[in-house]
Amino acid sequence: MTNRDNINDVLTSLINNKEIADVKFVIGKEKKEYYCNKLFLQNCSPVWKEQLYDPEWRNKTQDFVTLEISDVESEIFLVLLQYVYTRKPVLTDRNCLRVQEAADKFKIDGLGAMAMLFMTKNISPQNCFDILKKAQGYKDTLLEAKVFDFLMRDEGVFKVANILEGVKEENIKSILGFRRCSSSEYDIFQRVLEWGKWKLKEAGIEESPEALKDVLSGLLPLVKLILMGPEQLKEIKAIKLYQTKVIFDYSLNLIDRYKGRTFKTSRGIPGLSKETIKVLHLSANTETWIKDLKESILCTGLTDYTYISAQKTTPSVETLKKYHVVWVNSGNSFQNPTQLGDNLAKYVDAGGSVVIGGVHTLRSDNANWVMKGKLATGNYLPFKKGSLVQNKRCTLKTIVEKDHMVMRGVKTFDGGRYSSHVNTSLNSGGITICKWSDDHILIAEKPREMGNTVVAINIRPASSKVDGSWWDVNTDGRLLIGNSVEYAGKMSKIELAQK
């Protein structure tokens, strides 16, 4: 333990320590008491400094100056004290807005800035509109842009679908009017249609194309340039861009263009239907492994499947771009692991999704079965490559992202006698989905800015059907693999090259 850690522990012990306190706060409706020290309080907050020494504010009882604060919750006040004493407040996406408001109330500028910075990194469907309002109130253009970026990513837009009914019309207009939009034209129009249908239902009006056109008349012009491609823009004169009927009729035709797509997953995220996801299985394995892995990859109902031996060839970027998602793992040596990693990184940059499925592929040694190239070195992976851990039976212990599509239907997973995996930690931007019983990462993903993703499965991917000491085929290993591939495929934003 460092000296800094020791100091922090000492300071933490002073929070709410009645024995050495000279100030008592009575907080919230429950009148919870907190004991503090003038020295810390007055140096952080000019508001408290005035109250502590102004007879009009203070009530001196026994050895304490007592201050009552009824409009701040006790749990939020505790975060303020954590900052006052240690400069290490416990901020979460649920409390950051209230902490910022309380910091503003008492002019604790450092904490207010810390909470605002936390918001920029922790925008969620639950707090995004509150943060947007806060950013606009403070004229914080950086935070406002961060919220719009979240809303305009495919993932962000459709995560808010479940709470859309609580969104005010002016906020919908703001979102749709923001020009930095990466969602597809059908996605945007479908969201507008859903909002229009809700408005009709709320007003008790029977749904029809004419009624939808009327209720959406104020919104459709805001998305005209997103909805119309270059060819349509050439055909329509400038003055007609503002005629709602032209936009509406053109937008309805998009539905026919995008037949075969579905736009509601278990996470409310848009994506391709199972029938249209093109999967490339890229392995350096024996025939027995390949057959077993194919069964896992396709277990959720995917059908468009191609296998290429990564032991015999290194697919070009153009070849990879013929598929929505690439599953890649080793077991034997890749033909060219560095070139493969470079090509996969370019494929991800183009919008493709990748599932890294195997402990050997993720090891930190320099063997030719390890993933190399830019995919490994350029912060594309959800977690760092690591040293091998095995010979101890491990199981699925912690599901961190309980609503994640990868965990759909998964109840148990037994890694078998070896339970091979790597000892690793998250890369920047990585998200842990579930953990092994030894607390090592089991599955994680690294969402990309375009909406596509890289998923890594920290297991030996073949089942006990191949070797009795590997993961137990009677548990949900196939689902973990199949769900991961389907999820990554749904998130793919690749513009497919022609086969």
Side-chain angles (χ1 to χ4, degrees), residues 110-150:
L111 177 58
M114 194 178 291
M116 293 292 273
L117 179 62
F118 183 91
M119 291 179 208
T120 67
K121 298 178 180 179
N122 294 273
I123 300 167
S124 71
Q126 289 72 34
N127 67 23
C128 57
F129 291 109
D130 288 331
I131 292 177
L132 178 60
K133 182 179 178 181
K134 177 71 66 177
Q136 291 172 338
Y138 279 85
K139 297 183 178 179
D140 188 330
T141 55
L142 175 61
L143 181 55
E144 183 180 10
K146 290 280 187 181
V147 177
F148 277 125
D149 283 344
F150 170 80

Side-chain angles (χ1 to χ4, degrees), residues 304-364:
D304 197 326
Y305 167 93
T306 301
Y307 171 75
I308 293 178
S309 171
Q311 192 173 6
K312 297 178 180 179
T313 186
T314 302
S316 66
V317 178
E318 287 307 309
T319 297
L320 297 173
K321 288 170 69 174
K322 295 175 182 178
Y323 305 92
H324 294 109
V325 57
V326 177
W327 163 282
V328 58
N329 75 281
S330 63
N332 294 311
S333 295
F334 291 122
Q335 184 197 52
N336 188 331
T338 301
Q339 187 64 56
L340 178 60
D342 289 342
N343 291 354
L344 284 169
K346 291 178 182 178
Y347 166 75
V348 171
D349 289 340
S353 290
V354 171
V355 181
I356 308 290
V359 61
H360 293 303
T361 320
L362 298 164
R363 284 169 60 171
S364 55

Side-chain angles (χ1 to χ4, degrees), residues 14 25 36 39 49 72 142 192 242 245 249 313 326 336-337 350 398 404 407 428 437 455 471:
L14 299 180
F25 282 98
C36 311
L39 180 63
K49 184 175 182 179
V72 175
L142 175 61
V192 177
Y242 292 92
K245 185 179 184 305
D249 290 344
T313 186
V326 177
N336 188 331
T398 306
H404 202 293
M407 305 310 300
S428 173
S437 53
V455 177
W471 66 262

Side-chain angles (χ1 to χ4, degrees), residues 94 267 396-407 410 426 430-437 439-445 480:
R94 295 188 177 186
R267 293 182 67 194
L396 169 65
K397 175 186 177 183
T398 306
I399 301 177
V400 180
E401 297 288 333
K402 292 182 174 58
D403 295 327
H404 202 293
M405 183 178 166
V406 168
M407 305 310 300
V410 175
L426 286 177
I431 299 171
T432 300
I433 296 173
C434 59
K435 292 183 178 182
W436 284 100
S437 53
D439 280 332
H440 289 148
I441 298 169
L442 177 55
I443 303 179
E445 73 162 316
L480 285 174

Side-chain angles (χ1 to χ4, degrees), residues 11-76:
L11 292 173
T12 300
S13 71
L14 299 180
I15 299 175
N16 206 20
N17 189 327
K18 185 176 180 179
E19 294 181 2
I20 61 171
D22 51 16
V23 179
K24 180 174 75 174
F25 282 98
V26 181
I27 303 298
K29 296 178 181 179
E30 68 272 34
K31 296 189 178 298
K32 186 166 183 177
E33 296 179 351
Y34 286 99
Y35 293 89
C36 311
N37 304 87
K38 288 182 184 178
L39 180 63
F40 289 92
L41 298 169
Q42 67 189 27
N43 286 334
C44 273
S45 166
V47 175
W48 284 338
K49 184 175 182 179
E50 178 183 354
Q51 292 175 349
L52 288 169
Y53 294 98
D54 188 336
E56 182 180 346
W57 282 96
R58 69 180 186 167
N59 171 25
K60 189 168 179 62
T61 59
Q62 300 177 1
D63 296 326
F64 299 108
V65 173
T66 302
L67 298 177
E68 291 195 26
I69 302 174
S70 60
D71 56 351
V72 175
E73 298 164 293
S74 59
E75 64 182 73
I76 301 302

Side-chain angles (χ1 to χ4, degrees), residues 7-8 11-12 15 40 81-89:
I7 293 171
N8 188 67
L11 292 173
T12 300
I15 299 175
F40 289 92
L81 293 185
Q82 291 167 348
Y83 175 81
V84 167
Y85 280 85
T86 69
R87 297 300 190 270
K88 292 185 177 181

